Amino acid sequence: MNLTSQGRFEEAIRTLKKAAAIAERIGFLDGQCDATVSLGAAVRQHISPRAAIPILIDAVKLSRENRDPNDIGASLTNLGSAYRESGLLHQAAAALSASIPYHRASGNRRQEASAHAGLGVALSQLGQQEKSEECFQEAFTAYREVQDEAGINLNYMNLGHTQLKSGKIKEARDSLHRALRFFQSTAHHHFEANSLGLLGAAEWISGDIDQAKIYYEEAIRIFRRIGLKESERETKAALSEMLSGRSS
């Protein structure tokens, strides 16, 4: 039973800790490695990315001992994501970049796509927009091969954000609208709200304050409805900054 997929993270974490300890005690390295990778991923989602970093560093060490390319790639990708979400962008880029050859060796194109996409986000946050866009294009290729529509459209959302930073407003709008249509049709409300917030930023940059306000307010309503208070607060702050600029 996949407890993490059902949102039962506390139970999943307890179970994975026990599984890792048992595997270590009986010398079952493959099982210890798998449990540690999964434990790090669960802690990253339920507790915090920073709390997951030491677990995922152990997972990388174990997977290298076990010499399984799939586990090495998975542990490095999860570690890179935890670093990125903790603001440790250089470490994130290094781990995500290192994971890609292992995903290729194992033939796991979905995980390879995820690594390219995560690396694109990290490089964008580091201000390396051109390299970031190249990573997103690599991710598109792999996501399309495995027909992962959610991954494709999440990639469009992240690409749109990078295009905004590069001043490519028209391209950003196209990417973000494509992502928004998918997330609205599939009830991915978190990403729907993120796309709306980015479209608000695009219209703000373009000078269409009224349209930007519509996007921001809809994003705020969705964040409030699904209980993402920090995202709601950040979007309200952006809206307030925009409106104060208009009135000044």
Side-chain angles (χ1 to χ4, degrees):
M1 182 180 294
N2 190 337
L3 299 174
T4 56
S5 69
Q6 300 173 33
R8 295 160 61 187
F9 288 106
E10 291 181 8
E11 187 177 349
I13 288 169
R14 287 196 299 271
T15 301
L16 289 165
K17 283 181 178 178
K18 288 179 183 176
I22 291 168
E24 182 180 15
R25 188 165 63 247
I26 65 175
F28 180 30
L29 182 58
D30 194 42
Q32 184 185 1
C33 180
D34 289 344
T36 306
V37 173
S38 297
L39 175 61
V43 168
R44 176 182 146 231
Q45 293 177 69
H46 184 62
I47 299 176
S48 75
R50 194 170 287 274
I53 289 172
I55 300 168
L56 291 166
I57 288 173
D58 285 343
V60 172
K61 291 177 182 176
L62 289 167
S63 62
R64 290 190 187 281
E65 283 180 37
N66 200 39
R67 298 183 180 180
D68 183 327
N70 190 59
D71 285 343
I72 298 171
S75 58
L76 283 166
T77 296
N78 274 286
L79 177 59
S81 296
Y83 277 139
R84 180 176 58 78
E85 291 160 3
S86 301
L88 302 170
L89 300 177
H90 291 285
Q91 294 95 319
L96 290 162
S97 182
S99 76
I100 291 169
Y102 292 103
H103 293 311
R104 285 180 179 158
S106 68
N108 193 330
R109 289 290 275 163
R110 180 172 278 105
Q111 282 292 319
E112 183 183 344
S114 178
H116 281 299
L119 179 57
V121 173
L123 292 174
S124 177
Q125 291 173 319
L126 285 166
Q128 299 179 37
Q129 309 306 338
E130 187 174 341
K131 289 183 179 179
S132 172
E133 291 194 36
E134 291 173 4
C135 291
F136 290 132
Q137 294 307 321
E138 292 280 358
F140 277 128
T141 299
Y143 277 132
R144 285 170 179 146
E145 281 185 20
V146 296
Q147 300 180 337
D148 185 341
E149 289 297 319
I152 288 168
N153 284 282
L154 182 58
N155 207 47
Y156 270 116
M157 187 186 76
N158 289 323
L159 173 61
H161 193 185
T162 293
Q163 289 167 330
L164 273 182
K165 291 182 177 181
S166 301
K168 300 175 180 177
I169 307 304
K170 181 182 182 302
E171 293 90 337
R173 278 200 197 98
D174 290 344
S175 297
L176 293 167
H177 276 298
R178 177 161 182 164
L180 177 62
R181 287 192 297 271
F182 175 81
F183 295 134
Q184 286 174 329
S185 69
T186 55
H188 284 73
H189 298 304
H190 180 191
F191 297 132
E192 177 188 359
N194 282 341
S195 299
L196 285 163
L198 290 168
L199 282 165
E203 297 307 330
W204 181 8
I205 293 168
S206 299
D208 190 344
I209 304 302
D210 291 333
Q211 184 60 55
K213 183 172 180 286
I214 291 169
Y215 287 135
Y216 278 136
E217 287 178 342
E218 182 59 21
I220 290 165
R221 281 193 289 271
I222 295 171
F223 283 135
R224 183 183 303 124
R225 188 173 75 241
I226 62 178
L228 291 178
K229 294 182 180 179
E230 182 63 19
S231 296
E232 179 188 350
R233 185 193 65 77
E234 290 175 355
T235 309
K236 280 182 176 178
L239 174 60
S240 177
E241 181 183 353
M242 181 186 74
L243 294 177
S244 65
R246 179 165 71 174
S247 62
S248 62

